[in-house]
Amino acid sequence: MQYWLMKSEADVYSIDQLAADGSTLWDGVRNYQARNNMKQMKVGDLVLYYHSRQNPSAVVGLARVVREAYPDPTQFDPEHKYFDEKSSREEPRWELVDIEFVRRFEHPVTLHEVKAEAALADMVLVNNSRLSVQPVRPDEFERVLKMAGETL
């Protein structure tokens, strides 16, 4: 099992929307490092769901990977905002995964709290906060859960 953190703006696709939908495809990633992280994801991996660009930004819940990486269909649609004219069906540039809702945290863990926690000083979120899909070490995952008052 691997652990991840995925970011979404609350006004674009919130944890509540994921809860209502049950599952979703994680489209629109246009950063190679984030894409490569998704290509490493396996069914069953757990995801810290993070609301960025809200005040305060925070880890707000858990999701689970339910389908491994496959070509993001939005890259082929010229009418879509994520269209990529350099991508082709024969050689797609962008991948996505499907995730499902697990639960919303009663007590979200803010970015400020993460940064204040010495045990999380090496977490990617602290050192590369712009990366939208990032790995989380098992000890970091457990610490964030504990800070949220959650258990697996």
Side-chain angles (χ1 to χ4, degrees), residues 6 15 37 39 41 53 59 66 71-72 80 86 92-94 97 99 112 118 121 137 140-141 151:
M6 297 174 91
I15 189 81
N37 286 336
K39 288 172 81 170
M41 292 178 168
R53 288 198 286 177
V59 179
V66 292
D72 181 341
H80 200 281
K86 295 180 180 176
R93 295 173 71 177
W94 306 109
V97 296
I99 62 170
H112 177 77
R137 292 190 331 249
E140 295 167 340
F141 184 84
T151 61

Side-chain angles (χ1 to χ4, degrees), residues 4 28-41 69 75 82-88 91-96 128 130-135:
W4 307 93
V29 172
R30 297 298 183 264
N31 171 286
Y32 288 107
Q33 189 175 3
R35 179 212 55 195
N36 292 344
N37 286 336
M38 285 195 298
K39 288 172 81 170
Q40 294 178 45
M41 292 178 168
Q75 69 191 307
Y82 295 125
F83 174 66
D84 183 344
E85 64 185 29
K86 295 180 180 176
S87 188
S88 69
E91 292 186 42
R93 295 173 71 177
W94 306 109
E95 306 261 334
L96 56 74
N128 188 1
R130 295 197 51 152
L131 187 61
S132 65
V133 179
Q134 50 190 254

Side-chain angles (χ1 to χ4, degrees), residues 18-62:
L18 178 60
D21 294 344
S23 66
T24 192
L25 51 85
W26 202 258
D27 66 350
V29 172
R30 297 298 183 264
N31 171 286
Y32 288 107
Q33 189 175 3
R35 179 212 55 195
N36 292 344
N37 286 336
M38 285 195 298
K39 288 172 81 170
Q40 294 178 45
M41 292 178 168
K42 302 292 181 204
V43 169
D45 286 356
L46 290 175
V47 175
L48 295 171
Y49 201 100
Y50 183 87
H51 281 172
S52 59
R53 288 198 286 177
Q54 73 172 22
N55 192 9
S57 295
V59 179
V60 296
L62 280 181

